[in-house]
Amino acid sequence: MATEMALVKPISKFSTSSPIFSNSRYGKFTTVRMSSTSQSTAKAAAKGGKKAAKTAIKETLLTPRFYTTDFDEMEALFNTEINKNLNQSEFEALLQEFKTDYNQTHFVRNKEFKEAADKIDGPLRQIFVEFLERSCTAEFSGFLLYKELGRRLKKTNPVVAEIFSLMSRDEARHAGFLNKGLSDFNLALDLGFLTKARKYTFFKPKFIFYATYLSEKIGYWRYITIYRHLKENPEYQCYPIFKYFENWCQDENRHGDFFSALLKAQPQFLNDWKAKLWSRFFCLSVYVTMYLNDCQRTAFYEGIGLDTKEFDMHVIIETNRTTARIFPAVLDVENPEFKRRLDKMVEINEQLLAVGETSDIPLVKNLKRIPLIAALASELLATYLMPPIESGSVDFAEFEPQLVY
C-alpha cells in the first residue's frame, strides 16, 4: 500500500511509549518504537543525537494508519455458494500473476545506499528520514491487512485468500526494504511493537475496496512519475532507492488490478447511486490527503527536482483516468476549479498548523481553529459537489498493466 488511505471518521489522539534512541551516529542504530511524524523526532534522528528524544506520538488526519474490517462480511462476499458473480477463472489468472513473483530478486541493496545516505545532511537528511518512515509505515499497514484477509478467507475462497497472502508478501518486502533504508540513516522502525501499539481504523469491506484500489493505483503513478523524472534528470538522483521504483510500482499496479476484479465481483458496489457518491467521496479523500501531505513536505520534492503541486496534479489526473475505468463516477480533476480549491485547502491547512505552533493555551488554540476547520469543510464540500464525470464499466480490460506501464 504505497500511500496512506484517507479517513472516514476521526481518530482520537493518543500517546504511547516515546521513541527510543540509542547512542551515537556511528555504528549503532536508533530504534523508533512508534511511527512519529513530529519534526523534533525527525531532527533528533537526523542529527544522531546522543540523548533520548521524548516526543509524544501525534496522530492526525494525514498520518499513515492501520486498518481493520468486518471479516465475517468479507467471508460472505467471497463465498462462491452465496455470490454467483465471482469469476473464479479471473482470480485464478491473477493468482498466477502473483505466483510468478516478478520482483523476487529485485530488492537487493548495494553499497550505494549507505554511501549516498552519508552524503545527505542538514534539512534534506531530516526530510529523507521522514519520507522513509512514513512510506515504511504505509507499506507495513498494507501487509497487516492483506495478511489477515489471507488468513480469514482461506476456507471460504482459497484462491482469493492466496492472492491476499501474496500481496502481503509484496507489502512486507517493500516495508523491509524501506526499513533497511532507514538503517542507512542509523534508524530502524520497530515494526513488531508498531503492530501491537498502533490503533486501527475500522472500514467496512466496500470502503476497503474503494480506498485500497485508489491507494494502490495512486501509488503506481507516484512511483513511476518519480522514476521517470529521475531517469531523465540523474543529477537529482541523490539516493538509490528511487532506481527501484520502476519494478516496485508494478507491484502496486497488480494490487490495484486485483481490487478491480474484487469490485467487479461485487456489482452492488458499482451500479447504483450510492456507489457513485461513495466513489466520489473516496476519490476526494485520497486526492486531498495526498495534496495536503505533500504540500507540507515541498522540500522533499524540491530536493529531487520536482515541483510539488505539478507532480501531485499529474498523479491525481492519471490516477483519476485509471479509476474512471471501474468507478461509476469520478471527480472532474481536470477542471481548473478543482486545483483552485485544493490550493485554498492548502492555505487553510497551513493556517491550522500555524495555530498549533503558537504558545496560546489549548482553549484559545481551539477557538482559533473553529473558523479554519469550518472553512476547510466548506471547501471540501464545494469540491465534492462539483459536477462529476460519469464513468466506469464492469467490462473493462482484464489486465491493465499494458495500458499504463
Side-chain angles (χ1 to χ4, degrees), residues 144-292:
L144 291 175
L145 176 64
Y146 297 159
K147 181 182 178 182
E148 186 63 11
L149 283 166
R151 187 179 73 83
R152 296 291 190 102
L153 296 174
K154 193 171 291 185
K155 292 182 179 179
T156 306
N157 194 318
V159 173
V160 170
E162 189 172 359
I163 294 175
F164 273 119
S165 295
L166 292 174
M167 288 203 305
S168 74
R169 170 206 66 194
D170 295 342
E171 300 289 324
R173 191 179 283 159
H174 300 167
F177 197 65
L178 288 159
N179 212 5
K180 284 286 188 180
L182 281 167
S183 73
D184 298 325
F185 296 84
N186 304 310
L187 292 160
L189 275 174
D190 186 342
L191 298 176
F193 180 83
L194 196 63
T195 304
K196 299 174 182 177
R198 196 66 178 264
K199 285 194 174 181
Y200 287 70
T201 301
F202 178 83
F203 268 18
K204 294 181 66 175
K206 69 176 179 180
F207 300 154
I208 290 286
F209 295 161
Y210 294 137
T212 309
Y213 171 85
L214 281 165
S215 175
E216 298 289 1
K217 287 299 184 181
I218 208 168
Y220 166 82
W221 282 109
R222 286 172 66 84
Y223 285 153
I224 198 62
T225 301
I226 291 173
Y227 173 81
R228 289 169 178 167
H229 161 73
L230 292 177
K231 189 174 182 180
E232 293 175 3
N233 302 277
E235 67 274 18
Y236 290 106
Q237 187 74 260
C238 53
Y239 187 63
I241 199 167
F242 303 117
K243 296 178 181 178
Y244 292 74
F245 276 12
E246 183 179 32
N247 289 50
W248 191 325
C249 74
Q250 292 170 10
D251 284 342
E252 309 298 332
N253 205 46
R254 275 188 288 271
H255 295 183
D257 291 344
F258 173 57
F259 277 97
S260 293
L262 295 185
L263 283 165
K264 290 198 316 182
Q266 311 296 336
Q268 70 274 22
F269 298 157
L270 296 174
N271 61 7
D272 62 13
W273 62 272
K274 288 184 290 185
K276 292 181 178 181
L277 295 179
W278 281 120
S279 295
R280 290 162 53 198
F281 171 81
F282 277 98
C283 284
L284 179 65
S285 300
V286 170
Y287 300 161
V288 169
T289 298
M290 184 187 75
Y291 202 82
L292 296 186

